[in-house]
Amino acid sequence: MKTSGWRWRRRSAGLLIVAMAATGCAWQSENGGRERPAGPPAEYKAGMIGEDEDGAPVKGGTMTLAAYAEAGLLDPAETIVAGSTGGMEMAAIYDVLMRGDSETGEIHPQLAEDLEANGDSTAFTLTLRDGVTFSDGTPLDAKAVKWSIERYVKKGADEAALWKSNVAAVETPDDLTVEFKLRHAWPTFPFMLTTGPGMIVAKSSDDGGEFTPVGAGAFAFERYRPKEETVLKARAGYWDGKPNLDRIRIVYVDDPDAALATLSSGRIQGAFLRDPVAVQKALKAGHHGYLSMVALGNAAVVNALPGHPGADPRVRKAMHHAIQPEVVYRRAYPGTGLASNALFPEFSVWHTDAEPLPYDPGKARRLLREAKADGYDGKVSWLDSQDPASRTTALAAKAMLENVGFDVELDLVRSVSDQITRVAVRKSYDVAGWALSWREAGPFARMYATLHTEGNLTVGMPTTPAMSALIEELRGAATTEEQREVMGRIQRQWNEDVPALVLGPQPELVAWPDTVHGVVGTVNSMVLLDDAWIGQG
C-alpha cells in the first residue's frame, strides 16, 4: 500500500504546508422538497464525511457513479481537470504525480515517490517510482513525464499559460529524476502536479490521429457511449497493485435530484453533487463523501469583449450593484447555501477585511443612466442551463437587473456541455452562469488561469495589468499571512474591474453510501479510487 507519511520538502526551510480551511459553514437545515424550511442550522466542514470502516477489503465488483457533466474527451490537455468535468475519470486512468491531503492540506507523492524544493522555491526535483508502466506496457520514466507536460503546454490546456510563463525548463538528468527550473520563487508549485500537468499521458494516446486515454493509473479506459456511460477496467499492472474494484462506470444524470434519488435507491454507488439543496439532502440522509466548499463556485461571468454590453465597466458595475445574492439563494436554493458577493467568504482561510461591492440599486441606476447617455440601449442576454436551480437563478437575476433599468433576455441551454461550449469555446454570451472555482487548496493556479491577462480560462472576462500584477505577487508570497494581504488587494481590484457577478461559494460533494470504502479525496473536488471497495449493505 502507499506510504502515507511522505510529503514534499524544502531543503533549508523545513516543510511548507499550505493549509486548507477547516472552519465550518453554517447552513440552515432543510425539510424536504424546495420549500423554504424552518429549523436549527447544521454545521458542515470541508473534507471527508463519515467514518470509514477498517477491515479486509472486498475484491471485485463495479462502482457506478453519476457524473456532474459528461466529459467525452478524457484528455487533461483539453479538458478542465476538476471533479465536475471528468477529473475523477482522468485521475483513475492517469493517476496524479502528487495528491492533496483533504484533512491536513499537505501535498503528498502519489504516482511519484518524492518532490523536493531548493531553499528559495525556484527549483523542484521530482523522483519517480522505479518500475511504473503505462497500460500499454511502456515505462513511465522521466522522459515520459517531460513529453506529457510539454504536450499539455503545447495544446494550451487550462494551466498551460501559467506553466509556460513561470517554468523556465524541465530537465531529466536520469530515468527517475525530473528537475523543474522556475523563473521566479513559487512556494506553491507542488499543487501544479496534483492536477492536469500531473496527469501523465502515454505517447501512444496520440497514435492514429485520434486521442485514446492511455495512462499509468489504477484503471484503463474500456469504452465510452455518448450520453450514456464511460467504463474503466482495473489494471493488474498498477504500481500499487491491482485495485479492489473490477470496474468503474460513470453515468450521466443531468438533474441533481434524480442523481441523489438514484444513489439513495442503491442503483449507483456514487454521485457528484454541486446543487446546495441536493448536497444538504445527501448529508442529512447519512451518505458518506468528500465535500469541498468552492469560492466563486456560483457566479455569472461578464463578457467584456467588443460588441458586448460588459465592454463598458459602468455596465459591469451596475449589474453587480443590482444583484442581491441572498435573493438568488432564497429562490434557487431555499434554506441552503451561503450567499455572498465576496471573493472568499468568511469560511475561507483567504477571507480578508476588504469589502466587496455592496448591493446598491440606486448606484446601479445611476451608472446605467450614464452608459445609456453614451449610446448603450440597456439590452443584455443572460445565458444559463435549464435545470431548476439555474433557471430560477436566471429569473431572479432578470428581475433584479430589470428593476434598475436593464432589458434582459434569457438564453437557457439544454445541458452543461452546451453551456461550456458557448462560454469557454465560442464566448458567445453577454452574461453567463458559471463557476470560476477558486479552491481553498492552492488557489493561485486557478486565479491565474481565470484573471491574468495571459490566463487560459478568462472566457471573455475583463483582464487588467493591475490584476495581473497582483496575481504575480501572490505567486511569490511564501506565508499564509503574506498571501492573505495580497488577497485583500485582489478583492479591491476586483471591485474596480468586475470580471463577474459573485453570488456565493458552491458546495461540491462526491457522495457514496456507507457500503463504499477506501475512497481518498484530493484537490479540485476529485477523488482517487485505487483503494476503493464495496462492502455488504
Side-chain angles (χ1 to χ4, degrees), residues 330-386:
R330 281 200 302 269
R331 296 182 183 179
Y333 312 109
T336 66
L338 183 65
S340 173
N341 59 1
L343 297 183
F344 291 99
E346 292 183 2
F347 73 82
S348 173
V349 70
W350 309 118
H351 179 72
T352 71
D353 292 335
E355 295 290 336
L357 287 179
Y359 169 65
D360 189 340
K363 192 166 187 177
R365 293 185 184 97
R366 290 194 296 273
L367 288 166
L368 182 56
R369 282 197 298 269
E370 291 177 13
K372 286 182 174 180
D374 289 336
Y376 172 49
D377 61 7
K379 294 181 179 180
V380 64
S381 175
W382 183 289
L383 173 72
D384 222 320
S385 295
Q386 293 183 13

Side-chain angles (χ1 to χ4, degrees), residues 96-112:
V96 283
L97 291 172
M98 308 292 289
R99 66 174 176 86
D101 187 316
S102 60
E103 298 301 319
T104 67
E106 298 171 2
I107 299 299
H108 297 267
Q110 170 75 7
L111 183 59

Side-chain angles (χ1 to χ4, degrees), residues 67 69-71 89 224-225 227-230 250-254:
E70 183 171 2
E89 301 97 300
Y224 166 59
R225 293 173 177 165
K227 308 295 183 183
E228 184 180 343
E229 65 176 6
T230 294
I250 307 295
V251 297
Y252 309 113
V253 183
D254 287 337

